[in-house]
Amino acid sequence: MKTIKKLIGAAAFSCLAPIASANSLSVCVFDVIGANGDVFNLMKDYALDAKTIGLDLELKPYTDEGVAVGDFNAGQCDAVAATDLRTRPFNRFTGSVSAVGALPTYDDLRTLLATLAQDRAAPLMKSGGYEVLGILPIGAGYLFTNDRTVDSAAELAGKRMATLDYQKDAIHMVNYVKATVVPSDITNFAGKFNNGSVDTAYAPAFAYEALELYKGLEPNGGVVNYTLSQLTVQIIVRDELVADETAQQARQIAWNMFPQTMDLIARQESAIPDNVWIQISTEDKEGYQEMFRQNRIQMRDGSSGAPTVYDSRMLALMANIRCTSNPGASECTAADRE
């Protein structure tokens, strides 16, 4: 009888052990500034709230995004928090949030992230053995240029553009406007812009001060006040490590942080002086939107020599959001609407 009880106890323990280990997760966190950066601080807040749902997250800071993702792939971490540009291979659907020109306003971004945090979106958070535990916005991507006369796509022809060498959509767009791709990564693009090796760079507003991009703007540069894309940090975990209900609660925690993250982004954008922003006309903005839309379609279908990058379901969702907020836009009645 004692032997049977021991066997039952051992079996029960073996069933409980995976759950116990799943509640304690190591997370490779990318922040270009490291443990003192804004993203890492946001992740500390996320981890604190995650304790309320039984997740104990051990955060490991990385200043090199490639190394962070590489360590995750190698099993050195149970989860990774990195930009969607790097996490796209784990989930193309959520990785398409940053599709060029797809979310022109923060109101559109709010609508999208609120939708993705709902229970009914949970199946889309899983792909290929991985699951998205949360999405945190880090700001619109803007074009930083050392020549403030550059206020149209045509004027980008021949300009040297720092382009992340793993970001296929950006490479396609740079080639499309006949600019010159200068292969870069997130650890060196700022240095290239600041020392004049490139004419333009693409980054959220935080880079103006944190990466000292104001140096590269001197003396005649500026930041084009047009949203090229909405950049996010996405938290990816191996899906067998977290129960479905807990994963959904974790995504809700990230969504609840939206006001906090937007306050941070607003402060970062307001730190850029008014005279540094380059304003473009409404007509030019409409032209950009159509150019980007055609490029998104190409990168959805892999047509016209473009790589297949974007998920059609996400593009359709974002198109619906744009047409709800701006129903008069020409794209909303286009025959090739996304």
Side-chain angles (χ1 to χ4, degrees):
M1 181 65 73
K2 289 183 179 180
T3 302
I4 293 174
K5 286 182 178 180
K6 287 181 179 179
L7 289 173
I8 292 174
F13 180 78
S14 67
C15 291
L16 291 173
I19 298 175
S21 63
N23 287 336
S24 180
L25 303 174
S26 58
V27 188
C28 296
V29 179
F30 166 68
D31 187 315
V32 70
I33 305 301
N36 295 318
D38 291 329
V39 170
F40 197 81
N41 284 329
L42 287 172
M43 284 300 299
K44 286 196 290 187
D45 290 342
Y46 174 84
L48 185 63
D49 287 344
K51 287 182 181 295
T52 65
I53 61 171
L55 282 179
D56 184 12
L57 305 181
E58 177 196 356
L59 307 181
K60 300 179 179 181
Y62 286 76
T63 56
D64 188 315
E65 191 171 32
V67 175
V69 174
D71 278 4
F72 172 63
N73 283 328
Q76 298 299 310
C77 298
D78 301 310
V80 64
T83 65
D84 50 41
L85 307 179
R86 277 286 193 182
T87 63
R88 189 176 287 158
F90 302 114
N91 190 309
R92 182 179 287 184
F93 176 75
T94 60
S96 298
V97 169
S98 61
V100 291
L103 292 170
T105 70
Y106 287 130
D107 283 342
D108 290 341
L109 175 64
R110 179 187 294 107
T111 301
L112 175 67
L113 295 185
T115 302
L116 298 184
Q118 295 178 12
D119 291 353
R120 62 182 179 177
L124 296 168
M125 299 300 107
K126 290 190 176 190
S127 178
Y130 300 97
E131 183 160 10
V132 180
L133 284 187
I135 301 175
L136 300 172
I138 54 173
Y142 297 108
L143 185 70
F144 288 68
T145 173
N146 60 13
D147 178 3
R148 64 181 303 108
T149 66
V150 173
D151 58 4
S152 71
E155 291 167 348
L156 289 172
K159 295 291 185 181
R160 299 163 300 169
M161 300 186 71
T163 312
L164 302 182
D165 49 18
Y166 51 84
Q167 193 181 357
K168 294 180 180 179
D169 48 348
I171 293 171
H172 178 70
M173 281 301 309
V174 173
N175 288 330
Y176 183 86
V177 299
K178 296 181 172 56
T180 301
V181 170
V182 179
S184 308
D185 62 46
I186 209 155
T187 64
N188 65 25
F189 83 94
K192 290 182 179 182
F193 182 67
N194 290 340
N195 68 23
S197 298
V198 298
D199 303 304
T200 64
Y202 159 79
F206 89 87
Y208 179 78
E209 287 192 341
L211 301 182
E212 301 182 331
L213 289 191
Y214 56 83
K215 293 180 178 179
L217 299 178
E218 298 172 352
N220 300 312
V223 182
V224 179
N225 192 8
Y226 179 84
T227 299
L228 296 176
S229 71
Q230 295 287 356
L231 300 172
T232 65
V233 162
Q234 300 193 4
I235 306 158
I236 310 293
V237 68
R238 292 176 178 82
D239 65 9
E240 74 272 11
L241 297 180
V242 179
D244 290 349
E245 181 181 356
T246 304
Q248 180 57 33
Q249 291 173 319
R251 288 189 288 271
Q252 188 63 48
I253 287 172
W255 163 239
N256 290 342
M257 292 176 63
F258 184 82
Q260 172 187 351
T261 57
M262 291 310 302
D263 285 346
L264 174 61
I265 291 166
R267 292 196 300 272
Q268 293 166 343
E269 294 190 347
S270 65
I272 300 177
D274 290 344
N275 65 337
V276 171
W277 291 103
I278 301 171
Q279 305 301 332
I280 60 177
S281 69
T282 299
E283 182 180 359
D284 282 340
K285 288 180 180 179
E286 291 173 352
Y288 280 137
Q289 279 302 102
E290 181 59 21
M291 178 184 73
F292 287 138
R293 191 178 74 87
Q294 292 298 331
N295 273 268
R296 288 194 302 271
I297 291 172
Q298 291 174 4
M299 288 186 278
R300 176 196 68 189
D301 301 338
S303 59
S304 302
T308 303
V309 178
Y310 301 140
D311 186 288
S312 60
R313 299 164 299 176
M314 177 59 77
L315 293 189
L317 174 57
M318 293 190 290
N320 286 337
I321 290 171
R322 291 194 304 275
C323 287
T324 297
S325 61
N326 184 20
S330 59
E331 68 163 307
C332 302
T333 55
D336 60 349
R337 180 176 169 177
E338 291 163 273

